[in-house]
Amino acid sequence: MLALRLTRAARPTVQLRRLLVATAAAGTGFLLLSALGYALGHPEQPTEAATRLAWCAVPLAAAVHFAVAVARTDPGTKPRPGLSALGLGPARLMAISVLSTALSCTLGSLVALFAFLHLRGDLTGTPFDGAAATFLAAGEPLPVPAALTLLTLVPVIASGTVALVLRPRDARPAKRGAAWTYGRFGSYGRARSPESLGTHTGFTAHVRDAAARPATGTRIIAAVPVPQKPVPVPQRGDTGQTLGHNGEPTASADGGPDSAPADGATDPGGDWSAALTDPRRPPAGFPWGIAVLAFGLAVEAYAGFSAAPGPALPGVLTGWALAAVGLVLAAPGLTHLCGRLLQAVRPGALRLLAGRALMAEAVRLGRPLGVVCVVVSGALAMTAFSSENTAPYGQLTAFGVLLVIGCTMGTLLTAAVEARQSRADTVAGLLRLGAPATLLRVAAALRAGALLALFGPLTVVVAYLVVLPLDS
């Protein structure tokens, strides 16, 4: 019920994103049912039917990726002060996100089922003069268990992926195990704290009780803990050190040798958090991405120009898959490099703001942008190959390509919305300092133009290298 209330009370933009998730789930479910209909209508071609069903894995992955991106930007499931006291901790909020994703995908699967049955003519007759009856097996009985199994793939996989991505994590580093020490009277074990002299005789306990016992006639009002934070005390010949409560020098804020974090301190760690904390640090995986991209292009070239007989399509697909993985891995590093290039050669306030924002959001924006480049390059390669081939692709293939492109573009825009939400405090601070709103809009346009100038030609080059072995 709480998930339904949060879904109903969300903003129109959030409702629009959920509706787009339902649309993506509906399109993916319709493609899965179409593969089932082709298998029913052409039982003598099991290999072709299996190929069509395997091809549906690409729209399925794109729809799940889009659902996860929408779940990450859902403001109704963000941790807020006071929600833990009401029983809405991180695990409960994650469960609400999973239920919202499951509801959206289930709605899309139901729409896909009704559209499939309507085109088959099982509801009100065959529409469009029976044009869809050839690939939907209108005259064959529909196996209900197989149809329901295919329709539950999108909700189950999307909900499981959202639960895996949004699961609560403990950001604190794991404490190292205590040293194996010997306790009282030769007993061994892991001592929690060093024991003082007289612990085994009870002398220390008597001293503590005597110190804690209030004097006669006194009135205890409250037990207020004494803060142990270091207090800056000006000294003659001050060197910038800070004295603690006992007069001893403590670690300074500039990261001295004794400035190690205390136990239980939050350490973000990881590629994403490190890139957001220190924008100057390039994202990990950039060299590996470039290497895999080069290896994939080399495999394509070898498959196309080798003298071995036989079709070059399997080798080209293998090389394109490797190149796609390499491009996705290298995209955050390329985004970081784009932000660094914006700040080159004596940058002003505009270029410095745009470049720093790109460097800080390299991982968040780079990976969806890499996926978009892979999909667009594949679509360009398919278009170029189909224009030279005598047998063009069918309507379902075009629908699937449009669905994948729409899901990846939606994921990229959703990542941009998430980046904007993370910069809300920074933007508010700049506006309070007197920065004009026009400067922020021009900086956003400059970031978009820089990314387009870098990834646009790269996408065209990758698509050309994919088609080149097939033309030869």
Side-chain angles (χ1 to χ4, degrees):
M1 293 299 296
L2 182 60
L4 290 175
R5 291 180 180 179
L6 291 176
T7 302
R8 185 184 60 182
R11 297 178 180 178
T13 54
V14 179
Q15 298 286 9
L16 177 61
R17 290 197 292 265
R18 291 171 179 170
L19 183 60
L20 292 177
V21 170
T23 305
T28 307
F30 183 78
L31 289 176
L32 291 170
L33 293 178
S34 301
L36 176 62
Y38 184 86
L40 293 176
H42 303 81
E44 70 281 355
Q45 299 177 358
T47 304
E48 182 69 20
T51 303
R52 288 173 175 260
L53 185 60
W55 188 87
C56 294
V58 179
L60 177 62
V64 170
H65 192 201
F66 181 46
V68 171
V70 171
R72 291 179 62 93
T73 58
D74 193 351
T77 56
K78 297 292 183 181
R80 299 176 185 177
L83 289 182
S84 298
L86 298 176
L88 295 177
R92 188 72 179 275
L93 293 177
M94 181 267 295
I96 293 175
S97 299
V98 171
L99 289 178
S100 301
T101 304
L103 288 175
S104 301
C105 294
T106 303
L107 177 62
S109 298
L110 292 178
V111 172
L113 178 60
F114 281 114
F116 181 75
L117 294 178
H118 176 67
L119 292 178
R120 276 173 51 92
D122 296 337
L123 298 179
T124 58
T126 305
F128 305 112
D129 297 331
T134 57
F135 58 88
L136 297 182
E140 300 292 336
L142 182 66
V144 179
L148 293 181
T149 302
L150 293 177
L151 288 176
T152 54
L153 286 179
V154 181
V156 170
I157 296 178
S159 302
T161 308
V162 169
L164 182 63
V165 172
L166 301 183
R167 69 186 186 276
R169 296 183 180 89
D170 190 5
R172 296 176 298 179
K175 296 182 180 179
R176 295 182 178 179
W180 192 272
T181 57
Y182 290 94
R184 61 185 69 175
F185 293 110
S187 61
Y188 53 91
R190 297 188 184 275
R192 295 185 178 179
S193 60
E195 297 179 350
S196 60
L197 181 63
T199 302
H200 63 281
T201 60
F203 179 74
T204 307
H206 290 298
V207 173
R208 287 198 303 265
D209 294 341
R213 188 181 301 115
T216 306
T218 59
R219 182 179 180 183
I220 299 177
I221 298 178
V224 181
V226 180
Q228 300 295 331
K229 296 181 179 180
V231 180
V233 179
Q235 300 288 341
R236 180 175 298 177
D238 189 15
T239 58
Q241 289 186 342
T242 305
L243 301 182
H245 68 283
N246 54 356
E248 298 180 356
T250 59
S252 59
D254 57 351
D258 299 331
S259 60
D263 293 340
T266 303
D267 184 13
D271 185 14
W272 191 309
S273 302
L276 294 181
T277 304
D278 189 6
R280 296 171 297 179
R281 179 182 178 183
F286 178 66
W288 289 102
I290 295 298
V292 175
L293 176 61
F295 182 70
L297 295 178
V299 170
E300 290 182 11
Y302 179 78
F305 294 100
S306 62
L313 187 59
V316 171
L317 291 179
T318 303
W320 179 80
L322 292 174
V325 173
L327 186 57
V328 172
L329 290 177
L334 292 175
T335 306
H336 189 273
L337 178 62
C338 186
R340 186 174 290 275
L341 291 178
L342 278 178
Q343 304 174 70
V345 191
R346 301 180 62 181
L350 178 62
R351 289 197 293 133
L352 187 63
L353 182 61
R356 279 285 174 166
L358 273 184
M359 293 172 64
E361 298 162 0
V363 180
R364 183 183 284 118
L365 292 178
R367 289 176 181 173
L369 189 58
V371 175
V372 169
C373 291
V374 168
V375 172
V376 173
S377 63
L380 292 177
M382 290 179 61
T383 303
F385 182 68
S386 63
S387 62
E388 299 177 0
N389 195 5
T390 56
Y393 295 102
Q395 299 177 356
L396 287 179
T397 304
F399 174 72
V401 170
L402 292 178
L403 177 62
V404 172
I405 293 177
C407 289
T408 52
M409 292 297 296
T411 304
L412 179 60
L413 294 178
T414 306
V417 171
E418 184 182 3
R420 182 180 180 182
Q421 291 176 358
S422 65
R423 295 195 314 267
D425 296 337
T426 305
V427 171
L430 290 175
L431 293 177
R432 285 195 301 267
L433 291 175
T438 308
L439 177 66
L440 302 178
R441 289 193 291 266
V442 173
L446 183 60
R447 290 195 299 269
L451 291 177
L452 184 61
L454 178 63
F455 284 93
L458 180 62
T459 303
V460 176
V461 168
V462 171
Y464 175 75
L465 293 178
V466 169
V467 180
L468 186 61
L470 296 178
D471 292 341
S472 62

